[in-house]
Amino acid sequence: MRPALLSLLLLAGCATQPPCPPGLSPATLASAYFGRTAGGEEIVTDAAWTRFMDDAVTPAFPDGLTVLDGAGQWRGRAGTISRQHSKVLVVALPGGDAAEAQRRLAPVIATYRERFRQESVMVTTQAVCLGF
């Protein structure tokens, strides 16, 4: 087998999820990180977060989700480091992929950015095996 073809086959194998053990099924786990600060002040109160969950998140993910409290930092476009409290939304999408996660998260993120004047929301996805 030619080395270039072998390399392509090996790379293609890395892009797919290995089979899940019995009792578990392929899924995508998506996490979105929502900062609660804008302009140096915390503008996303607990009450505002609850309204956002009711208005935007729950309708997008009615089958379930998890929200964690976080504390992080990031460097914005202006080059300033911002330290802030955050909320981490974690959703599992049975049989879903990263594209589906992004498609379903996009309107939630757009609503958050507009409502709370946020520059960005970080998103991560990973292929997992899921069971209930």
PDB file of all heavy atoms in Angstrom, residues 72-96:
ATOM      1  N   GLY A  72     -14.028  31.855  35.055  1.00  0.00           N
ATOM      2  CA  GLY A  72     -12.995  31.764  34.033  1.00  0.00           C
ATOM      3  C   GLY A  72     -12.455  33.109  33.652  1.00  0.00           C
ATOM      4  O   GLY A  72     -12.751  34.130  34.278  1.00  0.00           O
ATOM      5  N   GLN A  73     -11.659  33.085  32.622  1.00  0.00           N
ATOM      6  CA  GLN A  73     -11.116  34.322  32.078  1.00  0.00           C
ATOM      7  C   GLN A  73     -10.874  34.140  30.594  1.00  0.00           C
ATOM      8  O   GLN A  73     -10.737  33.033  30.108  1.00  0.00           O
ATOM      9  CB  GLN A  73      -9.830  34.724  32.786  1.00  0.00           C
ATOM     10  CG  GLN A  73      -8.640  33.838  32.509  1.00  0.00           C
ATOM     11  CD  GLN A  73      -7.398  34.299  33.256  1.00  0.00           C
ATOM     12  OE1 GLN A  73      -7.467  34.687  34.403  1.00  0.00           O
ATOM     13  NE2 GLN A  73      -6.270  34.245  32.586  1.00  0.00           N
ATOM     14  N   TRP A  74     -10.842  35.269  29.889  1.00  0.00           N
ATOM     15  CA  TRP A  74     -10.547  35.243  28.470  1.00  0.00           C
ATOM     16  C   TRP A  74     -10.065  36.617  28.044  1.00  0.00           C
ATOM     17  O   TRP A  74     -10.284  37.615  28.736  1.00  0.00           O
ATOM     18  CB  TRP A  74     -11.758  34.792  27.671  1.00  0.00           C
ATOM     19  CG  TRP A  74     -12.800  35.849  27.462  1.00  0.00           C
ATOM     20  CD1 TRP A  74     -13.544  36.468  28.409  1.00  0.00           C
ATOM     21  CD2 TRP A  74     -13.178  36.422  26.226  1.00  0.00           C
ATOM     22  NE1 TRP A  74     -14.374  37.387  27.846  1.00  0.00           N
ATOM     23  CE2 TRP A  74     -14.167  37.379  26.492  1.00  0.00           C
ATOM     24  CE3 TRP A  74     -12.777  36.221  24.912  1.00  0.00           C
ATOM     25  CZ2 TRP A  74     -14.759  38.132  25.497  1.00  0.00           C
ATOM     26  CZ3 TRP A  74     -13.386  36.975  23.936  1.00  0.00           C
ATOM     27  CH2 TRP A  74     -14.361  37.907  24.220  1.00  0.00           C
ATOM     28  N   ARG A  75      -9.394  36.667  26.917  1.00  0.00           N
ATOM     29  CA  ARG A  75      -8.907  37.924  26.357  1.00  0.00           C
ATOM     30  C   ARG A  75      -9.828  38.321  25.207  1.00  0.00           C
ATOM     31  O   ARG A  75      -9.955  37.615  24.227  1.00  0.00           O
ATOM     32  CB  ARG A  75      -7.478  37.783  25.852  1.00  0.00           C
ATOM     33  CG  ARG A  75      -6.878  39.093  25.370  1.00  0.00           C
ATOM     34  CD  ARG A  75      -5.495  38.922  24.764  1.00  0.00           C
ATOM     35  NE  ARG A  75      -4.626  38.067  25.519  1.00  0.00           N
ATOM     36  CZ  ARG A  75      -3.749  38.492  26.438  1.00  0.00           C
ATOM     37  NH1 ARG A  75      -3.655  39.767  26.712  1.00  0.00           N
ATOM     38  NH2 ARG A  75      -2.978  37.632  27.074  1.00  0.00           N
ATOM     39  N   GLY A  76     -10.486  39.461  25.340  1.00  0.00           N
ATOM     40  CA  GLY A  76     -11.396  39.958  24.320  1.00  0.00           C
ATOM     41  C   GLY A  76     -10.664  40.612  23.166  1.00  0.00           C
ATOM     42  O   GLY A  76      -9.432  40.694  23.147  1.00  0.00           O
ATOM     43  N   ARG A  77     -11.429  41.108  22.199  1.00  0.00           N
ATOM     44  CA  ARG A  77     -10.847  41.745  21.009  1.00  0.00           C
ATOM     45  C   ARG A  77      -9.959  42.932  21.354  1.00  0.00           C
ATOM     46  O   ARG A  77      -8.998  43.210  20.658  1.00  0.00           O
ATOM     47  CB  ARG A  77     -11.949  42.207  20.066  1.00  0.00           C
ATOM     48  CG  ARG A  77     -12.602  41.083  19.330  1.00  0.00           C
ATOM     49  CD  ARG A  77     -13.614  41.604  18.311  1.00  0.00           C
ATOM     50  NE  ARG A  77     -14.653  40.607  18.202  1.00  0.00           N
ATOM     51  CZ  ARG A  77     -15.935  40.834  18.347  1.00  0.00           C
ATOM     52  NH1 ARG A  77     -16.375  42.039  18.579  1.00  0.00           N
ATOM     53  NH2 ARG A  77     -16.798  39.856  18.244  1.00  0.00           N
ATOM     54  N   ALA A  78     -10.301  43.637  22.422  1.00  0.00           N
ATOM     55  CA  ALA A  78      -9.524  44.814  22.825  1.00  0.00           C
ATOM     56  C   ALA A  78      -8.201  44.429  23.490  1.00  0.00           C
ATOM     57  O   ALA A  78      -7.372  45.299  23.768  1.00  0.00           O
ATOM     58  CB  ALA A  78     -10.343  45.684  23.772  1.00  0.00           C
ATOM     59  N   GLY A  79      -7.996  43.136  23.745  1.00  0.00           N
ATOM     60  CA  GLY A  79      -6.747  42.675  24.335  1.00  0.00           C
ATOM     61  C   GLY A  79      -6.763  42.640  25.859  1.00  0.00           C
ATOM     62  O   GLY A  79      -5.790  42.246  26.478  1.00  0.00           O
ATOM     63  N   THR A  80      -7.864  43.017  26.464  1.00  0.00           N
ATOM     64  CA  THR A  80      -7.973  43.041  27.913  1.00  0.00           C
ATOM     65  C   THR A  80      -8.420  41.681  28.425  1.00  0.00           C
ATOM     66  O   THR A  80      -9.322  41.064  27.859  1.00  0.00           O
ATOM     67  CB  THR A  80      -9.017  44.103  28.350  1.00  0.00           C
ATOM     68  OG1 THR A  80      -8.646  45.352  27.796  1.00  0.00           O
ATOM     69  CG2 THR A  80      -9.116  44.206  29.852  1.00  0.00           C
ATOM     70  N   ILE A  81      -7.810  41.229  29.506  1.00  0.00           N
ATOM     71  CA  ILE A  81      -8.219  39.971  30.122  1.00  0.00           C
ATOM     72  C   ILE A  81      -9.383  40.251  31.056  1.00  0.00           C
ATOM     73  O   ILE A  81      -9.325  41.142  31.890  1.00  0.00           O
ATOM     74  CB  ILE A  81      -7.059  39.307  30.886  1.00  0.00           C
ATOM     75  CG1 ILE A  81      -6.000  38.846  29.881  1.00  0.00           C
ATOM     76  CG2 ILE A  81      -7.568  38.136  31.729  1.00  0.00           C
ATOM     77  CD1 ILE A  81      -4.796  38.212  30.501  1.00  0.00           C
ATOM     78  N   SER A  82     -10.441  39.482  30.889  1.00  0.00           N
ATOM     79  CA  SER A  82     -11.639  39.619  31.701  1.00  0.00           C
ATOM     80  C   SER A  82     -11.809  38.356  32.531  1.00  0.00           C
ATOM     81  O   SER A  82     -11.828  37.256  31.986  1.00  0.00           O
ATOM     82  CB  SER A  82     -12.858  39.818  30.783  1.00  0.00           C
ATOM     83  OG  SER A  82     -14.052  39.762  31.528  1.00  0.00           O
ATOM     84  N   ARG A  83     -11.911  38.531  33.833  1.00  0.00           N
ATOM     85  CA  ARG A  83     -12.220  37.417  34.729  1.00  0.00           C
ATOM     86  C   ARG A  83     -13.682  37.557  35.128  1.00  0.00           C
ATOM     87  O   ARG A  83     -14.120  38.639  35.486  1.00  0.00           O
ATOM     88  CB  ARG A  83     -11.314  37.438  35.952  1.00  0.00           C
ATOM     89  CG  ARG A  83      -9.882  37.121  35.603  1.00  0.00           C
ATOM     90  CD  ARG A  83      -8.963  37.181  36.815  1.00  0.00           C
ATOM     91  NE  ARG A  83      -7.621  36.806  36.450  1.00  0.00           N
ATOM     92  CZ  ARG A  83      -6.700  37.646  35.988  1.00  0.00           C
ATOM     93  NH1 ARG A  83      -6.981  38.930  35.847  1.00  0.00           N
ATOM     94  NH2 ARG A  83      -5.507  37.217  35.655  1.00  0.00           N
ATOM     95  N   GLN A  84     -14.403  36.431  35.050  1.00  0.00           N
ATOM     96  CA  GLN A  84     -15.827  36.536  35.327  1.00  0.00           C
ATOM     97  C   GLN A  84     -16.434  35.210  35.717  1.00  0.00           C
ATOM     98  O   GLN A  84     -15.896  34.150  35.399  1.00  0.00           O
ATOM     99  CB  GLN A  84     -16.554  37.097  34.105  1.00  0.00           C
ATOM    100  CG  GLN A  84     -16.367  36.303  32.834  1.00  0.00           C
ATOM    101  CD  GLN A  84     -17.025  36.979  31.654  1.00  0.00           C
ATOM    102  OE1 GLN A  84     -18.234  37.178  31.666  1.00  0.00           O
ATOM    103  NE2 GLN A  84     -16.238  37.335  30.654  1.00  0.00           N
ATOM    104  N   HIS A  85     -17.574  35.307  36.395  1.00  0.00           N
ATOM    105  CA  HIS A  85     -18.378  34.122  36.647  1.00  0.00           C
ATOM    106  C   HIS A  85     -19.037  33.738  35.328  1.00  0.00           C
ATOM    107  O   HIS A  85     -19.248  34.579  34.462  1.00  0.00           O
ATOM    108  CB  HIS A  85     -19.448  34.413  37.704  1.00  0.00           C
ATOM    109  CG  HIS A  85     -18.870  34.684  39.045  1.00  0.00           C
ATOM    110  ND1 HIS A  85     -19.032  35.883  39.699  1.00  0.00           N
ATOM    111  CD2 HIS A  85     -18.105  33.926  39.855  1.00  0.00           C
ATOM    112  CE1 HIS A  85     -18.406  35.845  40.852  1.00  0.00           C
ATOM    113  NE2 HIS A  85     -17.833  34.665  40.971  1.00  0.00           N
ATOM    114  N   SER A  86     -19.344  32.463  35.205  1.00  0.00           N
ATOM    115  CA  SER A  86     -19.965  32.003  33.967  1.00  0.00           C
ATOM    116  C   SER A  86     -20.948  30.883  34.267  1.00  0.00           C
ATOM    117  O   SER A  86     -21.006  30.362  35.379  1.00  0.00           O
ATOM    118  CB  SER A  86     -18.899  31.522  32.983  1.00  0.00           C
ATOM    119  OG  SER A  86     -18.166  30.450  33.541  1.00  0.00           O
ATOM    120  N   LYS A  87     -21.723  30.554  33.255  1.00  0.00           N
ATOM    121  CA  LYS A  87     -22.592  29.394  33.282  1.00  0.00           C
ATOM    122  C   LYS A  87     -22.127  28.480  32.158  1.00  0.00           C
ATOM    123  O   LYS A  87     -21.834  28.939  31.052  1.00  0.00           O
ATOM    124  CB  LYS A  87     -24.056  29.784  33.050  1.00  0.00           C
ATOM    125  CG  LYS A  87     -24.666  30.604  34.167  1.00  0.00           C
ATOM    126  CD  LYS A  87     -24.927  29.750  35.391  1.00  0.00           C
ATOM    127  CE  LYS A  87     -25.713  30.514  36.444  1.00  0.00           C
ATOM    128  NZ  LYS A  87     -25.992  29.678  37.615  1.00  0.00           N
ATOM    129  N   VAL A  88     -22.046  27.192  32.440  1.00  0.00           N
ATOM    130  CA  VAL A  88     -21.651  26.204  31.443  1.00  0.00           C
ATOM    131  C   VAL A  88     -22.863  25.318  31.174  1.00  0.00           C
ATOM    132  O   VAL A  88     -23.361  24.638  32.073  1.00  0.00           O
ATOM    133  CB  VAL A  88     -20.463  25.354  31.932  1.00  0.00           C
ATOM    134  CG1 VAL A  88     -20.057  24.347  30.859  1.00  0.00           C
ATOM    135  CG2 VAL A  88     -19.287  26.231  32.339  1.00  0.00           C
ATOM    136  N   LEU A  89     -23.334  25.367  29.949  1.00  0.00           N
ATOM    137  CA  LEU A  89     -24.460  24.549  29.509  1.00  0.00           C
ATOM    138  C   LEU A  89     -23.902  23.284  28.870  1.00  0.00           C
ATOM    139  O   LEU A  89     -23.062  23.359  27.968  1.00  0.00           O
ATOM    140  CB  LEU A  89     -25.295  25.328  28.488  1.00  0.00           C
ATOM    141  CG  LEU A  89     -26.388  24.565  27.760  1.00  0.00           C
ATOM    142  CD1 LEU A  89     -27.487  24.149  28.727  1.00  0.00           C
ATOM    143  CD2 LEU A  89     -26.945  25.408  26.625  1.00  0.00           C
ATOM    144  N   VAL A  90     -24.347  22.133  29.340  1.00  0.00           N
ATOM    145  CA  VAL A  90     -23.899  20.850  28.799  1.00  0.00           C
ATOM    146  C   VAL A  90     -25.132  20.094  28.309  1.00  0.00           C
ATOM    147  O   VAL A  90     -26.087  19.906  29.062  1.00  0.00           O
ATOM    148  CB  VAL A  90     -23.170  20.008  29.873  1.00  0.00           C
ATOM    149  CG1 VAL A  90     -22.681  18.691  29.285  1.00  0.00           C
ATOM    150  CG2 VAL A  90     -22.020  20.796  30.492  1.00  0.00           C
ATOM    151  N   VAL A  91     -25.092  19.718  27.030  1.00  0.00           N
ATOM    152  CA  VAL A  91     -26.199  18.948  26.452  1.00  0.00           C
ATOM    153  C   VAL A  91     -25.641  17.706  25.757  1.00  0.00           C
ATOM    154  O   VAL A  91     -24.599  17.760  25.121  1.00  0.00           O
ATOM    155  CB  VAL A  91     -27.047  19.778  25.463  1.00  0.00           C
ATOM    156  CG1 VAL A  91     -27.794  20.876  26.187  1.00  0.00           C
ATOM    157  CG2 VAL A  91     -26.212  20.356  24.353  1.00  0.00           C
ATOM    158  N   ALA A  92     -26.352  16.605  25.907  1.00  0.00           N
ATOM    159  CA  ALA A  92     -26.010  15.363  25.219  1.00  0.00           C
ATOM    160  C   ALA A  92     -27.023  15.154  24.107  1.00  0.00           C
ATOM    161  O   ALA A  92     -28.228  15.278  24.327  1.00  0.00           O
ATOM    162  CB  ALA A  92     -26.028  14.194  26.197  1.00  0.00           C
ATOM    163  N   LEU A  93     -26.520  14.860  22.932  1.00  0.00           N
ATOM    164  CA  LEU A  93     -27.372  14.654  21.764  1.00  0.00           C
ATOM    165  C   LEU A  93     -27.205  13.216  21.281  1.00  0.00           C
ATOM    166  O   LEU A  93     -26.279  12.908  20.528  1.00  0.00           O
ATOM    167  CB  LEU A  93     -27.003  15.634  20.653  1.00  0.00           C
ATOM    168  CG  LEU A  93     -27.062  17.112  21.043  1.00  0.00           C
ATOM    169  CD1 LEU A  93     -26.474  17.980  19.955  1.00  0.00           C
ATOM    170  CD2 LEU A  93     -28.480  17.510  21.351  1.00  0.00           C
ATOM    171  N   PRO A  94     -28.092  12.312  21.725  1.00  0.00           N
ATOM    172  CA  PRO A  94     -27.988  10.916  21.283  1.00  0.00           C
ATOM    173  C   PRO A  94     -28.061  10.830  19.756  1.00  0.00           C
ATOM    174  O   PRO A  94     -28.950  11.417  19.134  1.00  0.00           O
ATOM    175  CB  PRO A  94     -29.210  10.247  21.923  1.00  0.00           C
ATOM    176  CG  PRO A  94     -29.558  11.133  23.086  1.00  0.00           C
ATOM    177  CD  PRO A  94     -29.204  12.524  22.638  1.00  0.00           C
ATOM    178  N   GLY A  95     -27.095  10.163  19.165  1.00  0.00           N
ATOM    179  CA  GLY A  95     -27.055  10.001  17.716  1.00  0.00           C
ATOM    180  C   GLY A  95     -26.675  11.263  16.963  1.00  0.00           C
ATOM    181  O   GLY A  95     -26.567  11.247  15.746  1.00  0.00           O
ATOM    182  N   GLY A  96     -26.482  12.366  17.671  1.00  0.00           N
ATOM    183  CA  GLY A  96     -26.160  13.635  17.017  1.00  0.00           C
ATOM    184  C   GLY A  96     -24.686  13.781  16.732  1.00  0.00           C
ATOM    185  O   GLY A  96     -23.861  12.999  17.186  1.00  0.00           O
TER     186      GLY A  96
END
